[in-house]
Amino acid sequence: MHKLLTNQPGQKVLLLGNEAIARGALEAGVAFAATYPGTPSSEISLNLFQVAQETDLYFEYSTNEKVALEVAAAAANSGLRSMCMMKHVGVNVAADALMTLAYVGTRAGLVVISADDPYMFSSQNEQDNRYYGKLSGLSILEPSSVEEAKAMVPYAFDLSETLGEPVILRTTTRINHSNAVVTLGALRAPQTKGRFEKDPFHYVTVPAVSRQLHARLLENMARAQALAEESPYNFEEGNGTWGVICNGVSYTYVADAIQDLKVEDQVRVLRIGFSHPLPAERIGTFLSGCEKVLVVEEGEPYMEEAVKAFAQERGLSLPINGKGPTLFSRLYEFDPAMVRQKLADYFGIACPPSAVPDLSDVPEIPQRPPTLCAGCSHRATFYAVKKATEGMDVIHPSDIGCYTLGFLPPLSMGDFVICMGASTGSAGGFAQATSQKVVSFIGDSTFFHSGIPGLINAVFNNHDMTLVILDNRTTAMTGHQPNPGVDMQELKLEGYGQVALEPLVKAIGVPHVVTIRPYQLKKSIAAIREAVAFEGVSVVIAKEKCALYAKALRQLRGKPFRVSERCQNHRDCISDLGCPAFYLEDDRVHIDADICIGCALCAQVCPENAIVPVKST
Amino acid sequence: MKPTRLIIVAVGGQGNLLASKVLGEAALMADIPVRMSEIHGMAQRGGVVESAMVFGDARSTIISDGEADVLVGFEPSETLRALNKCNPRTTVITNMAALPPFTVAIGRGTYPDLDHLKRLITEKTGRLIAFDAAELARAAGNIMSVNIVLLGALCQTGILPVSEDMVRRAIETRTKAAFVDTNLKAFDLGYQAAVA
């Protein structure tokens, strides 16, 4: 039995934030869940995917976040409690659906999880998705801890049903990827079959209907604000006339700072957990009792600006600060010592200085950047593209996935990355705007997610470009989630369809399509050369299962290689491929047999043919 | 209970997350408040993996520079890189078996001299326990148990509020059944290495 299905209310367990959120959904009786994987949200989905294999829960990996939200919106409007989870930038993809879904609303509870990533541990930006509350008119809840994240999910479902609107639960990486002890509640049996009751003057958003629905949304926002005023997730702590207003993990840093500085009787804290609509009355009352207020929030001055506006409406002129050159930054994440220091400085409290030792005499430590794995087939494809386009002036738009790492030397394959799918759209733009060659890269999952429209665009507008689809047969970066190209029978799961890439690309009308096996270097280079020479749109599908995924499926058959005595120390292997299986010892190249998967790429690159299979003994 | 803060640094694949999970489960069994944070995702592709654990009465799950009571490093250059988390009272436990990053092999950067590294850590912190945990893991029967060897050494210091017995029980119940014996042996070897 899956550990999240333990039905022993009161039992204490150690859970990852994302496990706690999944458990919260099960305690809320979630019946339907859809997602596109994205760090830091991925483990919520992974756990629900596993739970769905043992229960009546319906779970799906959708092709992208917009589809996931549409699927969930339909289920919720058929009466099923539904959840849809994604990383912060996924909400951008889903935003078109989200904005008008807010007009239409929901019948059964619908909770949308937005997992934000301050500091960009694994993201391309650190946008603050609280603004989606303002933009859409939907309620936003923000937990400060793992325990609270679990508790807020059932609250969010109830709130969603009270308002008849989706509710956004916004987390940050330090909630998703923290562990804490959580007390289990009772599991609630879900209602798993619904019925859609037709009501076109509510559900069909032609202008005349939407004019009514927008007014309905504003009424719901007013009701939501009244609920925020009373919500137990907006609470006060401590005494005194110095005020702190904070949210999310910042609250935990503030709480620790107040304890460390022993100022419980001087500082009063208003913790905001129901942050859209903000409880204006409650904040106004809090301000009236303060001489000076500090707003502590990671990201944008979302609360600070609103708090200042509430003060103005009440004619209050006390100092209210948050972001600023000597205060908090809009950049990156906070940490406990930083919050303690800023809080002490702002209110004039004595604070012991930091005890970090002087590290000026520590030598520079070589960097250890994330890198493509040993034997990663992307490395082989990148190298083949490099060889096939040698001497040409080529732009390489790339996309979001493990292969984004190909931009690093020695491969240096990646010149322009902005968002999921942009490798196909931007490739056409570069081709049209310049006389440079364009060879762009996209993964299989990202191609299904949002690469297809860009490729159709390229065919229609006849852009001169080559798209390389790095088809590693899984969604690797986020932990090997299925995508529409995956053979689900390999995972012993029945009832799935499968979309083959080559016929799909041909059906789009791409005039030159070729599939290569990237470990066959010579053939791959020749095929890529031909595709690049083709005038118009060409697609190369580089098909080879992700080595880590193949290993997990026990399909890795390769034997490790070694560097034989024929080696003349040219080091083309190391300097051109950068595979982490290589290491230097006594100024000679060696291969770590424990991590070499035997892809044989380096053996094909070595000018002396000095790299040979390890003989089995 | 006064908070005790532990940072574990490792290279992706060294089992850092399992080590922190074992300690977390041990704390849960002993009813000691515990919170921890870790970084997943892109950082794991051969990069550095850091986890932070806070035992006792604190709400934060991360640890600021200069605030670790204990630093456990699974790789010597990563231990050195994490010195900013330490202060003059911090106890540092490090594996001395080097895993030079790939950047060294392609000539971008020089791996630090290990004697110099030990001297630097000793000068700047309260106490250094340094030994070859990879050798002890091999002696225990599984090179992958470097993480458990270091847990043994960590428990010997007595700095954490979780007892040695609780950690043993967590190893017995929370690591894969097939590895429990080698893991317990690895734990003992690490414990003894810290005594010496």
Side-chain angles (χ1 to χ4, degrees), chain A residues 109-289:
Chain A
L110 172 56
V111 176
V112 178
I113 312 261
S114 164
D116 291 16
D117 190 18
Y119 190 70
M120 300 163 275
F121 289 100
S122 45
S123 304
Q124 64 269 43
N125 76 26
E126 56 177 350
Q127 67 184 48
D128 185 335
N129 274 6
R130 291 177 297 173
Y131 286 106
Y132 270 112
K134 283 188 107 156
L135 191 61
S136 66
L138 297 177
S139 298
I140 294 204
L141 300 173
E142 295 183 73
S144 290
S145 68
V146 170
E147 304 92 302
E148 202 175 41
K150 180 177 87 72
M152 267 188 183
V153 179
Y155 180 84
F157 272 105
D158 290 345
L159 179 64
S160 170
E161 284 169 4
T162 304
L163 295 171
E165 294 286 0
V167 167
I168 300 171
L169 181 75
R170 184 234 183 199
T171 61
T172 57
T173 303
R174 296 300 186 176
I175 298 290
N176 301 97
H177 287 169
S178 283
N179 282 269
V181 177
V182 169
T183 306
L184 298 182
L187 291 173
R188 177 172 146 171
Q191 182 193 331
T192 54
K193 214 24 128 186
R195 184 180 157 76
F196 180 66
E197 304 297 343
K198 293 185 186 194
D199 183 5
F201 288 93
H202 183 112
Y203 285 124
V204 181
T205 54
V206 294
V209 173
S210 286
R211 286 182 201 118
Q212 308 294 320
L213 293 178
H214 192 191
R216 171 194 165 277
L217 173 62
L218 296 187
E219 286 164 22
N220 276 339
M221 281 173 69
R223 288 168 61 215
Q225 192 193 323
L227 293 169
E229 300 286 357
E230 302 303 322
S231 172
Y233 290 117
N234 296 326
F235 58 81
E236 283 181 39
E237 273 177 359
N239 297 296
T241 52
W242 292 336
V244 172
I245 300 178
C246 55
N247 70 322
V249 291
S250 303
Y251 163 71
T252 65
Y253 308 153
V254 167
D256 284 351
I258 288 173
Q259 183 178 302
D260 292 349
L261 298 167
K262 303 188 173 54
V263 287
E264 291 90 344
D265 291 330
Q266 285 145 286
V267 179
R268 203 146 56 93
V269 174
L270 175 59
R271 201 299 300 265
I272 299 293
F274 191 148
S275 60
H276 189 267
L278 281 167
E281 293 304 320
R282 183 148 203 170
I283 291 172
T285 311
F286 180 81
L287 295 178
S288 318

Side-chain angles (χ1 to χ4, degrees), chain B residues 100-114:
Chain B
F102 187 72
T103 44
V104 172
I106 57 172
R108 290 192 292 129
T110 313
Y111 196 85
D113 173 74
L114 290 180

Side-chain angles (χ1 to χ4, degrees), chain A residues 251 256 335 340 367-368, chain B residues 36 59-60 64 67 78 103:
Chain A
Y251 163 71
D256 284 351
D335 68 78
R340 182 172 62 227
Q367 290 303 306
R368 198 184 292 272
Chain B
M36 51 212 235
R59 309 221 198 156
S60 309
S64 299
E67 305 211 330
E78 294 311 327
T103 44

Side-chain angles (χ1 to χ4, degrees), chain A residues 351-502:
Chain A
C351 179
S354 157
V356 184
D358 174 16
L359 299 177
S360 54
D361 59 339
V362 173
E364 201 177 324
I365 302 157
Q367 290 303 306
R368 198 184 292 272
T371 177
L372 295 172
C373 303
C376 174
S377 62
H378 299 334
R379 179 179 292 106
T381 307
F382 286 139
Y383 182 76
V385 169
K386 204 166 183 170
K387 283 287 155 193
T389 58
E390 227 161 20
M392 299 179 193
D393 182 7
V394 192
I395 307 171
H396 295 292
S398 189
D399 225 300
I400 309 283
C402 295
Y403 53 93
T404 317
L405 293 171
F407 88 104
L408 292 170
L411 296 161
S412 306
M413 288 280 135
D415 297 316
F416 190 76
V417 174
I418 48 174
C419 65
M420 293 284 285
S423 59
T424 60
S426 65
F430 284 123
Q432 206 58 40
T434 71
S435 46
Q436 290 159 284
K437 274 275 171 202
V438 179
V439 179
S440 64
F441 300 104
I442 192 167
D444 48 339
S445 191
T446 307
F447 182 69
F448 288 118
H449 177 283
S450 49
I452 296 170
L455 185 60
I456 294 174
N457 181 67
V459 170
F460 176 61
N461 290 302
N462 196 27
H463 293 307
D464 184 17
M465 55 170 269
T466 301
L467 175 68
V468 179
I469 304 178
L470 299 158
D471 180 17
N472 67 354
R473 321 295 304 143
T474 187
T475 315
M477 176 95 270
T478 46
H480 302 119
Q481 290 84 356
N483 69 52
V486 169
D487 177 2
M488 295 298 277
Q489 291 187 356
E490 281 189 337
L491 299 171
K492 303 191 171 50
L493 292 171
E494 299 294 327
Y496 286 88
Q498 190 179 6
V499 180
L501 279 176
E502 190 172 310

Side-chain angles (χ1 to χ4, degrees), chain A residues 15-29:
Chain A
L15 292 184
L16 184 70
N18 280 340
E19 293 171 333
I21 291 169
R23 172 71 190 196
L26 297 170
E27 291 180 8

Side-chain angles (χ1 to χ4, degrees), chain A residues 30 36 347 439 525:
Chain A
V30 68
Y36 183 82
F347 294 114
V439 179
I525 294 172

Side-chain angles (χ1 to χ4, degrees), chain B residues 4 12 28 37 41 47 58 86 128 130 157 175 181 185:
Chain B
T4 305
L28 171 61
S37 68
C86 301
L128 172 65
T157 65
T175 68
D181 289 343
K185 195 166 172 205

